[in-house]
PDB file of all heavy atoms in Angstrom:
ATOM      1  N   PHE A 240      39.314 173.639   3.355  1.00 66.00           N
ATOM      2  CA  PHE A 240      38.803 174.835   4.037  1.00 66.00           C
ATOM      3  C   PHE A 240      39.422 174.983   5.423  1.00 66.00           C
ATOM      4  O   PHE A 240      39.816 176.088   5.821  1.00 66.00           O
ATOM      5  CB  PHE A 240      37.281 174.771   4.134  1.00 66.00           C
ATOM      6  CG  PHE A 240      36.659 175.917   4.876  1.00 66.00           C
ATOM      7  CD1 PHE A 240      36.522 177.162   4.273  1.00 66.00           C
ATOM      8  CD2 PHE A 240      36.241 175.759   6.192  1.00 66.00           C
ATOM      9  CE1 PHE A 240      35.968 178.226   4.967  1.00 66.00           C
ATOM     10  CE2 PHE A 240      35.684 176.816   6.886  1.00 66.00           C
ATOM     11  CZ  PHE A 240      35.545 178.055   6.280  1.00 66.00           C
ATOM     12  N   GLN A 241      39.495 173.868   6.171  1.00 61.00           N
ATOM     13  CA  GLN A 241      40.097 173.914   7.499  1.00 61.00           C
ATOM     14  C   GLN A 241      41.570 174.304   7.423  1.00 61.00           C
ATOM     15  O   GLN A 241      42.065 175.068   8.252  1.00 61.00           O
ATOM     16  CB  GLN A 241      39.941 172.570   8.203  1.00 61.00           C
ATOM     17  CG  GLN A 241      38.509 172.219   8.586  1.00 61.00           C
ATOM     18  CD  GLN A 241      38.394 170.832   9.188  1.00 61.00           C
ATOM     19  OE1 GLN A 241      39.301 170.028   9.131  1.00 61.00           O
ATOM     20  NE2 GLN A 241      37.237 170.537   9.774  1.00 61.00           N
ATOM     21  N   THR A 242      42.263 173.764   6.434  1.00 61.00           N
ATOM     22  CA  THR A 242      43.674 174.094   6.266  1.00 61.00           C
ATOM     23  C   THR A 242      43.856 175.561   5.905  1.00 61.00           C
ATOM     24  O   THR A 242      44.730 176.250   6.442  1.00 61.00           O
ATOM     25  CB  THR A 242      44.303 173.202   5.184  1.00 61.00           C
ATOM     26  OG1 THR A 242      44.111 171.830   5.526  1.00 61.00           O
ATOM     27  CG2 THR A 242      45.794 173.480   5.059  1.00 61.00           C
ATOM     28  N   ALA A 243      43.020 176.065   4.981  1.00 63.00           N
ATOM     29  CA  ALA A 243      43.109 177.465   4.558  1.00 63.00           C
ATOM     30  C   ALA A 243      42.812 178.429   5.707  1.00 63.00           C
ATOM     31  O   ALA A 243      43.402 179.509   5.794  1.00 63.00           O
ATOM     32  CB  ALA A 243      42.160 177.719   3.393  1.00 63.00           C
ATOM     33  N   SER A 244      41.899 178.028   6.595  1.00 63.00           N
ATOM     34  CA  SER A 244      41.535 178.896   7.717  1.00 63.00           C
ATOM     35  C   SER A 244      42.644 179.023   8.754  1.00 63.00           C
ATOM     36  O   SER A 244      42.645 179.965   9.550  1.00 63.00           O
ATOM     37  CB  SER A 244      40.249 178.394   8.390  1.00 63.00           C
ATOM     38  OG  SER A 244      40.443 177.106   8.948  1.00 63.00           O
ATOM     39  N   THR A 245      43.572 178.077   8.764  1.00 60.00           N
ATOM     40  CA  THR A 245      44.663 178.107   9.737  1.00 60.00           C
ATOM     41  C   THR A 245      45.944 178.708   9.182  1.00 60.00           C
ATOM     42  O   THR A 245      46.936 178.819   9.905  1.00 60.00           O
ATOM     43  CB  THR A 245      44.964 176.687  10.253  1.00 60.00           C
ATOM     44  OG1 THR A 245      45.337 175.846   9.137  1.00 60.00           O
ATOM     45  CG2 THR A 245      43.738 176.087  10.938  1.00 60.00           C
ATOM     46  N   VAL A 246      45.937 179.086   7.911  1.00 59.00           N
ATOM     47  CA  VAL A 246      47.136 179.628   7.278  1.00 59.00           C
ATOM     48  C   VAL A 246      47.415 181.039   7.799  1.00 59.00           C
ATOM     49  O   VAL A 246      46.542 181.893   7.803  1.00 59.00           O
ATOM     50  CB  VAL A 246      47.002 179.638   5.743  1.00 59.00           C
ATOM     51  CG1 VAL A 246      48.214 180.326   5.112  1.00 59.00           C
ATOM     52  CG2 VAL A 246      46.891 178.221   5.216  1.00 59.00           C
ATOM     53  N   THR A 247      48.639 181.273   8.235  1.00 60.00           N
ATOM     54  CA  THR A 247      49.091 182.589   8.661  1.00 60.00           C
ATOM     55  C   THR A 247      50.319 182.983   7.853  1.00 60.00           C
ATOM     56  O   THR A 247      50.855 182.194   7.064  1.00 60.00           O
ATOM     57  CB  THR A 247      49.422 182.590  10.162  1.00 60.00           C
ATOM     58  OG1 THR A 247      50.475 181.627  10.410  1.00 60.00           O
ATOM     59  CG2 THR A 247      48.191 182.211  10.995  1.00 60.00           C
ATOM     60  N   ALA A 248      50.766 184.195   8.073  1.00 56.00           N
ATOM     61  CA  ALA A 248      51.951 184.663   7.356  1.00 56.00           C
ATOM     62  C   ALA A 248      53.183 183.829   7.704  1.00 56.00           C
ATOM     63  O   ALA A 248      54.064 183.618   6.868  1.00 56.00           O
ATOM     64  CB  ALA A 248      52.200 186.130   7.677  1.00 56.00           C
ATOM     65  N   GLU A 249      53.236 183.343   8.943  1.00 55.00           N
ATOM     66  CA  GLU A 249      54.383 182.548   9.373  1.00 55.00           C
ATOM     67  C   GLU A 249      54.358 181.140   8.781  1.00 55.00           C
ATOM     68  O   GLU A 249      55.415 180.505   8.624  1.00 55.00           O
ATOM     69  CB  GLU A 249      54.423 182.458  10.908  1.00 55.00           C
ATOM     70  CG  GLU A 249      54.738 183.772  11.615  1.00 55.00           C
ATOM     71  CD  GLU A 249      53.539 184.685  11.684  1.00 55.00           C
ATOM     72  OE1 GLU A 249      52.396 184.194  11.394  1.00 55.00           O
ATOM     73  OE2 GLU A 249      53.692 185.884  12.017  1.00 55.00           O
ATOM     74  N   SER A 250      53.151 180.627   8.486  1.00 61.00           N
ATOM     75  CA  SER A 250      53.051 179.252   8.016  1.00 61.00           C
ATOM     76  C   SER A 250      52.989 179.118   6.495  1.00 61.00           C
ATOM     77  O   SER A 250      52.841 178.012   5.989  1.00 61.00           O
ATOM     78  CB  SER A 250      51.798 178.584   8.626  1.00 61.00           C
ATOM     79  OG  SER A 250      50.611 179.237   8.181  1.00 61.00           O
ATOM     80  N   ILE A 251      53.088 180.243   5.768  1.00 68.00           N
ATOM     81  CA  ILE A 251      53.017 180.184   4.306  1.00 68.00           C
ATOM     82  C   ILE A 251      54.163 179.347   3.737  1.00 68.00           C
ATOM     83  O   ILE A 251      53.970 178.534   2.827  1.00 68.00           O
ATOM     84  CB  ILE A 251      53.019 181.602   3.705  1.00 68.00           C
ATOM     85  CG1 ILE A 251      51.696 182.312   4.022  1.00 68.00           C
ATOM     86  CG2 ILE A 251      53.221 181.539   2.187  1.00 68.00           C
ATOM     87  CD1 ILE A 251      51.612 183.721   3.476  1.00 68.00           C
ATOM     88  N   SER A 252      55.371 179.549   4.263  1.00 68.00           N
ATOM     89  CA  SER A 252      56.520 178.781   3.769  1.00 68.00           C
ATOM     90  C   SER A 252      56.331 177.289   4.011  1.00 68.00           C
ATOM     91  O   SER A 252      56.674 176.464   3.148  1.00 68.00           O
ATOM     92  CB  SER A 252      57.803 179.257   4.443  1.00 68.00           C
ATOM     93  OG  SER A 252      57.714 179.116   5.863  1.00 68.00           O
ATOM     94  N   SER A 253      55.758 176.928   5.186  1.00 63.00           N
ATOM     95  CA  SER A 253      55.491 175.515   5.478  1.00 63.00           C
ATOM     96  C   SER A 253      54.458 174.949   4.521  1.00 63.00           C
ATOM     97  O   SER A 253      54.566 173.803   4.065  1.00 63.00           O
ATOM     98  CB  SER A 253      55.012 175.348   6.923  1.00 63.00           C
ATOM     99  OG  SER A 253      56.001 175.759   7.839  1.00 63.00           O
ATOM    100  N   MET A 254      53.437 175.748   4.182  1.00 66.00           N
ATOM    101  CA  MET A 254      52.409 175.301   3.261  1.00 66.00           C
ATOM    102  C   MET A 254      52.964 175.099   1.857  1.00 66.00           C
ATOM    103  O   MET A 254      52.588 174.152   1.164  1.00 66.00           O
ATOM    104  CB  MET A 254      51.259 176.300   3.236  1.00 66.00           C
ATOM    105  CG  MET A 254      50.452 176.365   4.526  1.00 66.00           C
ATOM    106  SD  MET A 254      49.659 174.774   4.892  1.00 66.00           S
ATOM    107  CE  MET A 254      48.643 174.566   3.444  1.00 66.00           C
ATOM    108  N   ILE A 255      53.862 176.010   1.439  1.00 70.00           N
ATOM    109  CA  ILE A 255      54.486 175.852   0.124  1.00 70.00           C
ATOM    110  C   ILE A 255      55.332 174.578   0.086  1.00 70.00           C
ATOM    111  O   ILE A 255      55.302 173.823  -0.891  1.00 70.00           O
ATOM    112  CB  ILE A 255      55.346 177.088  -0.214  1.00 70.00           C
ATOM    113  CG1 ILE A 255      54.459 178.332  -0.380  1.00 70.00           C
ATOM    114  CG2 ILE A 255      56.151 176.848  -1.486  1.00 70.00           C
ATOM    115  CD1 ILE A 255      55.234 179.616  -0.575  1.00 70.00           C
ATOM    116  N   LEU A 256      56.081 174.348   1.171  1.00 67.00           N
ATOM    117  CA  LEU A 256      56.871 173.125   1.270  1.00 67.00           C
ATOM    118  C   LEU A 256      55.979 171.891   1.221  1.00 67.00           C
ATOM    119  O   LEU A 256      56.279 170.914   0.528  1.00 67.00           O
ATOM    120  CB  LEU A 256      57.689 173.130   2.559  1.00 67.00           C
ATOM    121  CG  LEU A 256      58.485 171.844   2.879  1.00 67.00           C
ATOM    122  CD1 LEU A 256      59.548 171.597   1.797  1.00 67.00           C
ATOM    123  CD2 LEU A 256      59.128 171.936   4.259  1.00 67.00           C
ATOM    124  N   PHE A 257      54.874 171.964   1.956  1.00 65.00           N
ATOM    125  CA  PHE A 257      53.945 170.834   1.957  1.00 65.00           C
ATOM    126  C   PHE A 257      53.336 170.615   0.576  1.00 65.00           C
ATOM    127  O   PHE A 257      53.153 169.474   0.138  1.00 65.00           O
ATOM    128  CB  PHE A 257      52.829 171.061   2.976  1.00 65.00           C
ATOM    129  CG  PHE A 257      51.774 169.996   2.937  1.00 65.00           C
ATOM    130  CD1 PHE A 257      51.981 168.776   3.541  1.00 65.00           C
ATOM    131  CD2 PHE A 257      50.572 170.218   2.281  1.00 65.00           C
ATOM    132  CE1 PHE A 257      51.013 167.786   3.480  1.00 65.00           C
ATOM    133  CE2 PHE A 257      49.601 169.232   2.230  1.00 65.00           C
ATOM    134  CZ  PHE A 257      49.828 168.019   2.839  1.00 65.00           C
ATOM    135  N   GLY A 258      53.014 171.702  -0.138  1.00 68.00           N
ATOM    136  CA  GLY A 258      52.468 171.580  -1.478  1.00 68.00           C
ATOM    137  C   GLY A 258      53.436 170.878  -2.423  1.00 68.00           C
ATOM    138  O   GLY A 258      53.040 170.040  -3.232  1.00 68.00           O
ATOM    139  N   GLY A 259      54.736 171.236  -2.312  1.00 72.00           N
ATOM    140  CA  GLY A 259      55.739 170.562  -3.133  1.00 72.00           C
ATOM    141  C   GLY A 259      55.853 169.086  -2.797  1.00 72.00           C
ATOM    142  O   GLY A 259      55.954 168.236  -3.696  1.00 72.00           O
ATOM    143  N   VAL A 260      55.834 168.774  -1.493  1.00 69.00           N
ATOM    144  CA  VAL A 260      55.902 167.371  -1.073  1.00 69.00           C
ATOM    145  C   VAL A 260      54.668 166.606  -1.550  1.00 69.00           C
ATOM    146  O   VAL A 260      54.759 165.443  -1.958  1.00 69.00           O
ATOM    147  CB  VAL A 260      56.044 167.282   0.465  1.00 69.00           C
ATOM    148  CG1 VAL A 260      55.950 165.829   0.927  1.00 69.00           C
ATOM    149  CG2 VAL A 260      57.356 167.887   0.914  1.00 69.00           C
ATOM    150  N   ALA A 261      53.498 167.254  -1.510  1.00 70.00           N
ATOM    151  CA  ALA A 261      52.260 166.614  -1.959  1.00 70.00           C
ATOM    152  C   ALA A 261      52.334 166.233  -3.434  1.00 70.00           C
ATOM    153  O   ALA A 261      51.888 165.153  -3.828  1.00 70.00           O
ATOM    154  CB  ALA A 261      51.068 167.538  -1.706  1.00 70.00           C
ATOM    155  N   LEU A 262      52.912 167.132  -4.257  1.00 77.00           N
ATOM    156  CA  LEU A 262      53.075 166.818  -5.679  1.00 77.00           C
ATOM    157  C   LEU A 262      54.005 165.628  -5.874  1.00 77.00           C
ATOM    158  O   LEU A 262      53.755 164.767  -6.732  1.00 77.00           O
ATOM    159  CB  LEU A 262      53.614 168.042  -6.422  1.00 77.00           C
ATOM    160  CG  LEU A 262      52.661 169.243  -6.547  1.00 77.00           C
ATOM    161  CD1 LEU A 262      53.367 170.419  -7.213  1.00 77.00           C
ATOM    162  CD2 LEU A 262      51.404 168.862  -7.335  1.00 77.00           C
ATOM    163  N   VAL A 263      55.071 165.561  -5.076  1.00 77.00           N
ATOM    164  CA  VAL A 263      55.996 164.432  -5.154  1.00 77.00           C
ATOM    165  C   VAL A 263      55.284 163.139  -4.756  1.00 77.00           C
ATOM    166  O   VAL A 263      55.477 162.084  -5.376  1.00 77.00           O
ATOM    167  CB  VAL A 263      57.222 164.676  -4.250  1.00 77.00           C
ATOM    168  CG1 VAL A 263      58.109 163.436  -4.192  1.00 77.00           C
ATOM    169  CG2 VAL A 263      58.021 165.868  -4.751  1.00 77.00           C
ATOM    170  N   VAL A 264      54.438 163.213  -3.714  1.00 75.00           N
ATOM    171  CA  VAL A 264      53.695 162.037  -3.260  1.00 75.00           C
ATOM    172  C   VAL A 264      52.738 161.549  -4.343  1.00 75.00           C
ATOM    173  O   VAL A 264      52.635 160.344  -4.607  1.00 75.00           O
ATOM    174  CB  VAL A 264      52.927 162.350  -1.964  1.00 75.00           C
ATOM    175  CG1 VAL A 264      51.950 161.230  -1.625  1.00 75.00           C
ATOM    176  CG2 VAL A 264      53.893 162.553  -0.809  1.00 75.00           C
ATOM    177  N   ILE A 265      52.037 162.476  -4.988  1.00 77.00           N
ATOM    178  CA  ILE A 265      51.114 162.100  -6.054  1.00 77.00           C
ATOM    179  C   ILE A 265      51.863 161.439  -7.210  1.00 77.00           C
ATOM    180  O   ILE A 265      51.449 160.405  -7.735  1.00 77.00           O
ATOM    181  CB  ILE A 265      50.328 163.333  -6.543  1.00 77.00           C
ATOM    182  CG1 ILE A 265      49.416 163.852  -5.428  1.00 77.00           C
ATOM    183  CG2 ILE A 265      49.496 162.992  -7.783  1.00 77.00           C
ATOM    184  CD1 ILE A 265      48.743 165.163  -5.765  1.00 77.00           C
ATOM    185  N   PHE A 266      52.996 162.051  -7.594  1.00 79.00           N
ATOM    186  CA  PHE A 266      53.807 161.467  -8.664  1.00 79.00           C
ATOM    187  C   PHE A 266      54.301 160.072  -8.273  1.00 79.00           C
ATOM    188  O   PHE A 266      54.268 159.137  -9.077  1.00 79.00           O
ATOM    189  CB  PHE A 266      54.999 162.383  -8.963  1.00 79.00           C
ATOM    190  CG  PHE A 266      55.980 161.796  -9.948  1.00 79.00           C
ATOM    191  CD1 PHE A 266      55.729 161.820 -11.310  1.00 79.00           C
ATOM    192  CD2 PHE A 266      57.157 161.202  -9.498  1.00 79.00           C
ATOM    193  CE1 PHE A 266      56.631 161.274 -12.214  1.00 79.00           C
ATOM    194  CE2 PHE A 266      58.064 160.646 -10.395  1.00 79.00           C
ATOM    195  CZ  PHE A 266      57.802 160.690 -11.751  1.00 79.00           C
ATOM    196  N   GLY A 267      54.752 159.934  -7.013  1.00 78.00           N
ATOM    197  CA  GLY A 267      55.236 158.639  -6.541  1.00 78.00           C
ATOM    198  C   GLY A 267      54.141 157.589  -6.515  1.00 78.00           C
ATOM    199  O   GLY A 267      54.377 156.429  -6.862  1.00 78.00           O
ATOM    200  N   ALA A 268      52.930 157.995  -6.110  1.00 77.00           N
ATOM    201  CA  ALA A 268      51.811 157.060  -6.066  1.00 77.00           C
ATOM    202  C   ALA A 268      51.462 156.560  -7.460  1.00 77.00           C
ATOM    203  O   ALA A 268      51.229 155.353  -7.664  1.00 77.00           O
ATOM    204  CB  ALA A 268      50.593 157.726  -5.415  1.00 77.00           C
ATOM    205  N   VAL A 269      51.434 157.465  -8.438  1.00 79.00           N
ATOM    206  CA  VAL A 269      51.148 157.069  -9.819  1.00 79.00           C
ATOM    207  C   VAL A 269      52.252 156.166 -10.358  1.00 79.00           C
ATOM    208  O   VAL A 269      51.994 155.133 -10.988  1.00 79.00           O
ATOM    209  CB  VAL A 269      50.971 158.312 -10.712  1.00 79.00           C
ATOM    210  CG1 VAL A 269      50.794 157.890 -12.167  1.00 79.00           C
ATOM    211  CG2 VAL A 269      49.780 159.139 -10.257  1.00 79.00           C
ATOM    212  N   PHE A 270      53.510 156.551 -10.091  1.00 82.00           N
ATOM    213  CA  PHE A 270      54.652 155.781 -10.588  1.00 82.00           C
ATOM    214  C   PHE A 270      54.669 154.371 -10.018  1.00 82.00           C
ATOM    215  O   PHE A 270      54.858 153.389 -10.752  1.00 82.00           O
ATOM    216  CB  PHE A 270      55.953 156.510 -10.243  1.00 82.00           C
ATOM    217  CG  PHE A 270      57.197 155.777 -10.665  1.00 82.00           C
ATOM    218  CD1 PHE A 270      57.624 155.802 -11.983  1.00 82.00           C
ATOM    219  CD2 PHE A 270      57.935 155.044  -9.742  1.00 82.00           C
ATOM    220  CE1 PHE A 270      58.775 155.119 -12.374  1.00 82.00           C
ATOM    221  CE2 PHE A 270      59.073 154.353 -10.126  1.00 82.00           C
ATOM    222  CZ  PHE A 270      59.495 154.394 -11.442  1.00 82.00           C
ATOM    223  N   MET A 271      54.450 154.236  -8.703  1.00 80.00           N
ATOM    224  CA  MET A 271      54.498 152.927  -8.069  1.00 80.00           C
ATOM    225  C   MET A 271      53.323 152.048  -8.474  1.00 80.00           C
ATOM    226  O   MET A 271      53.436 150.826  -8.555  1.00 80.00           O
ATOM    227  CB  MET A 271      54.536 153.072  -6.552  1.00 80.00           C
ATOM    228  CG  MET A 271      55.814 153.685  -6.021  1.00 80.00           C
ATOM    229  SD  MET A 271      57.293 152.714  -6.405  1.00 80.00           S
ATOM    230  CE  MET A 271      57.024 151.277  -5.387  1.00 80.00           C
TER     231      MET A 271
END
């Protein structure tokens, strides 16, 4: 909720990038 409340039009690309990195982190955590 806190993250969603701070999202602006300028930060959407950063959030998408972070979402992709988060998926990689989850995959890496499961793999390791």
Side-chain angles (χ1 to χ4, degrees):
F240 177 77
Q241 291 176 347
T242 304
S244 63
T245 60
V246 175
T247 60
E249 292 78 13
S250 63
I251 290 180
S252 59
S253 298
M254 292 298 300
I255 294 174
L256 175 63
F257 175 79
V260 173
L262 292 176
V263 173
V264 169
I265 294 173
F266 174 79
V269 175
F270 178 79
M271 292 299 291

